[in-house]
């Protein structure tokens, strides 16, 4: 399972993937921004080193105005839960995140307390038929109203993972996608632009952002 990447516009997502199929477009039109992570074959121009991804990338556009505003400034970012591996659960406020993570995070962005305990739904679009990898906020029956869907290998979520995980990364433009997403729509729900570069480790020496 590749680390999820948050985007602020569909254009930014297209720059990260090898192909956006009609079923992918239908799911995006219906459920983005929102709690749906889509797994695609990654673009050959994507040169991030974010671990073993088996040539795939997981993409989501969050339904949160602060996250979208941040993504408009930075471009897509690799994300993770706002917790250490030893912690039982992710913090749900910026105060709790700072207490747990301390100075390992350079900047804390307070978007208000997180709500909800159910993580995003994950659908694999790398095959001919979409596969449900993880049930989440969007139920399978609702997905089947939009596309055909088969059950895939179960994915065990991080115990601390929430619908809108903390963003940890650094802004940039790592890929050479043709249409730069720097001209995103003005609406906060369609907010961000350039296809990015991101650090996925809380221990990275570069700038980081933690927000809840």
């Amino acid at each position: 399972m590749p680390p999820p990447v948050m985007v602020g516009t569909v254009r930014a997502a297209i720059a990260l993937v090898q192909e956006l199929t009609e079923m992918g477009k239908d799911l995006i039109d219906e459920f983005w921004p929102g709690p749906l992570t889509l797994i695609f074959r990654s673009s050959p121009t994507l040169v991030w080193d974010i671990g073993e991804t088996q040539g795939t990338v997981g993409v989501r556009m969050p339904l949160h105005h602060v996250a979208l505003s941040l993504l408009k400034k930075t471009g897509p970012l690799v994300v993770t839960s706002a917790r250490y591996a030893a912690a039982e659960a992710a913090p749900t406020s910026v105060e709790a995140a700072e207490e747990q993570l301390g100075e390992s995070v350079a900047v804390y962005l307070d978007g208000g307390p997180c709500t909800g305990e159910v993580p995003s739904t994950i659908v694999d679009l790398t095959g001919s038929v979409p596969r449900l990898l993880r049930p989440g906020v969007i139920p399978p029956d609702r997905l089947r109203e939009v596309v055909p869907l088969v059950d895939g290998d179960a994915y065990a979520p991080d115990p601390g993972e929430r619908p809108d995980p903390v963003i940890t990364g650094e802004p940039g433009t790592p890929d050479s996608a043709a249409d730069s997403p720097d001209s995103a729509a003005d609406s906060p729900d369609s907010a961000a632009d350039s296809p990015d570069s991101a650090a996925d480790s809380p221990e990275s020496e570069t700038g980081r952002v933690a927000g809840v």
Side-chain angles (χ1 to χ4, degrees):
M1 174 69 70
V5 178
M6 282 198 181
V7 297
T9 64
V10 174
R11 180 187 290 184
I14 292 173
L16 303 176
V17 308
Q18 182 174 329
E19 179 185 10
L20 180 60
T21 64
E22 287 301 320
M23 285 185 285
K25 292 177 184 176
D26 290 342
L27 288 169
I28 286 172
D29 288 345
E30 187 69 23
F31 298 113
W32 277 15
L36 177 64
T37 301
L38 298 174
I39 308 297
F40 297 93
R41 294 289 178 193
S42 59
S43 168
T45 63
L46 190 60
V47 294
W48 298 345
D49 182 7
I50 54 175
E52 181 51 58
T53 64
Q54 298 183 335
T56 63
V57 60
V59 188
R60 183 158 71 87
M61 184 190 295
L63 183 59
H64 193 288
H65 71 283
V66 174
L68 289 171
S69 296
L70 176 65
L71 290 163
K72 184 173 183 179
K73 300 293 185 182
T74 64
L77 293 174
V78 177
V79 300
T80 183
S81 298
R83 71 181 189 101
Y84 283 123
E88 293 184 358
T92 58
S93 69
V94 72
E95 292 82 9
E98 188 169 8
E99 181 179 353
Q100 185 177 124
L101 301 173
E103 294 182 358
S104 66
V105 172
V107 177
Y108 289 87
L109 180 62
D110 190 355
C114 292
T115 59
E117 297 292 333
V118 182
S120 67
T121 301
I122 300 178
V123 174
D124 182 358
L125 295 175
T126 61
S128 58
V129 179
R131 288 192 307 140
L132 178 65
L133 295 188
R134 182 181 72 187
V137 176
I138 303 171
D141 288 346
R142 180 70 183 90
L143 295 168
R144 289 189 176 99
E145 293 176 5
V146 180
V147 296
L149 186 72
V150 297
D151 291 335
D153 297 330
Y155 164 67
D158 181 324
E161 189 169 355
R162 294 180 177 275
D164 287 295
V166 65
I167 295 175
T168 64
E170 59 186 48
T173 54
D175 69 335
S176 55
D179 291 337
S180 168
D182 287 338
S183 56
D186 293 335
S187 166
D189 285 342
S190 60
D193 320 277
S194 133
D196 64 307
S197 137
D200 56 335
S201 166
E203 288 78 14
S204 170
E205 295 180 358
T206 56
R208 297 171 299 280
V209 174
V212 293

